[in-house]
Amino acid sequence: MLHPHVPEDLKHFGKHLFATFLGLLMALGLEQWREHHMEAKRAEQALAGVETELREDLALIQRQSARSEASARTAEALDAYIGDLIAAKRQGRALPPPPELKDLGIAPNFYTDAWETLKGLGVLHHLPPDRARRLSRAYLGFSGFRQHFDTQPLLRQIPASLFLMLERPDRLAEMSQPELERAREGVRLMRLFFLWCRNEMEYVRTASEAALKP
């Protein structure tokens, strides 16, 4: 049997080529590991920012939910006052004094910058899938609430002039009975709107608390 003779130079070249190829693979693998490690670090830092932001949002939800409840009670008291005004005007008796409006309105301006930053870094895949879903659900709750808040049909039915009018509730006494009836309808819609806000924020609060769990 013939045994082909491989020149020593060719053997040396093959060994050198293999060593070079192996070195390139190792360098590539090391670079990929380094990039993965850096991405994981960025994801960890971004997640810490999101958790801080969520805690701030939860505090905001607590405050605004309380304001919604207080505003609903104020609207209820205002409804009763307008009813007394209408009755007093109809019966020709002394008009009741206006109530003190302690709170009437909310400002649900949630913080979302940290979440947008995390998504912009493209590191969401470094989070456990369940955690990523819970975080997405919480922030979708924020954006969904804000969108529904701005387009709420109840809010669109409340005359804009009523908000200006309620800055000086003492002026309600100067209105005619038909005007008071219309104002009363607007106040009742306000109460329903504030109750809706309170209920919706409860859902957002639950989703946010779930997203904060590891």
Side-chain angles (χ1 to χ4, degrees), residues 37-54:
H37 179 73
M38 290 179 62
E39 266 200 3
K41 189 67 177 177
R42 287 197 295 267
E44 182 181 347
Q45 293 171 345
L47 179 60
V50 168
E51 289 175 341
T52 299
E53 183 175 76
L54 272 176

Side-chain angles (χ1 to χ4, degrees), residues 96-115:
E100 181 182 353
L101 302 183
K102 296 181 180 179
D103 208 342
L104 198 62
I106 66 170
N109 299 316
F110 301 112
Y111 307 105
T112 60
D113 289 348
W115 173 246

Side-chain angles (χ1 to χ4, degrees), residues 41-200:
K41 189 67 177 177
R42 287 197 295 267
E44 182 181 347
Q45 293 171 345
L47 179 60
V50 168
E51 289 175 341
T52 299
E53 183 175 76
L54 272 176
R55 292 188 184 95
E56 292 174 351
D57 281 328
L58 275 171
L60 175 64
I61 289 170
Q62 185 175 1
R63 293 193 302 271
Q64 295 303 316
S65 183
R67 284 195 69 188
S68 295
E69 183 70 35
S71 295
R73 288 195 299 269
T74 296
E76 188 173 11
L78 197 54
D79 178 19
Y81 168 66
I82 294 175
D84 289 344
L85 269 180
I86 293 172
K89 284 178 176 285
R90 186 179 296 126
Q91 297 166 12
R93 55 183 172 83
L95 302 181
E100 181 182 353
L101 302 183
K102 296 181 180 179
D103 208 342
L104 198 62
I106 66 170
N109 299 316
F110 301 112
Y111 307 105
T112 60
D113 289 348
W115 173 246
E116 295 300 328
T117 298
L118 186 147
K119 291 192 299 180
L121 288 172
V123 295
L124 196 58
H125 62 280
H126 283 278
L127 304 182
D130 179 63
R131 186 76 192 278
R133 281 193 297 272
R134 284 183 280 124
L135 285 169
S136 296
R137 189 178 301 119
Y139 279 94
L140 281 173
F142 292 145
S143 61
F145 174 80
R146 186 70 219 190
Q147 182 180 4
H148 295 157
F149 178 87
D150 292 335
T151 60
Q152 174 58 241
L154 283 173
L155 192 59
R156 292 204 301 268
Q157 294 177 52
I158 301 171
S161 58
L162 182 59
F163 290 97
L164 297 175
M165 198 182 306
L166 295 182
E167 291 181 2
R168 291 285 307 276
D170 54 298
R171 291 186 176 179
L172 289 170
E174 303 170 5
M175 297 171 62
S176 66
Q177 290 186 38
E179 290 172 330
L180 286 171
E181 291 285 359
R182 289 194 295 274
R184 193 178 191 187
E185 290 176 6
V187 167
R188 286 176 173 176
L189 289 173
M190 278 185 179
R191 179 177 177 274
L192 291 176
F193 174 72
F194 290 127
L195 291 177
W196 172 84
C197 289
R198 182 201 61 188
N199 294 339
E200 286 296 303

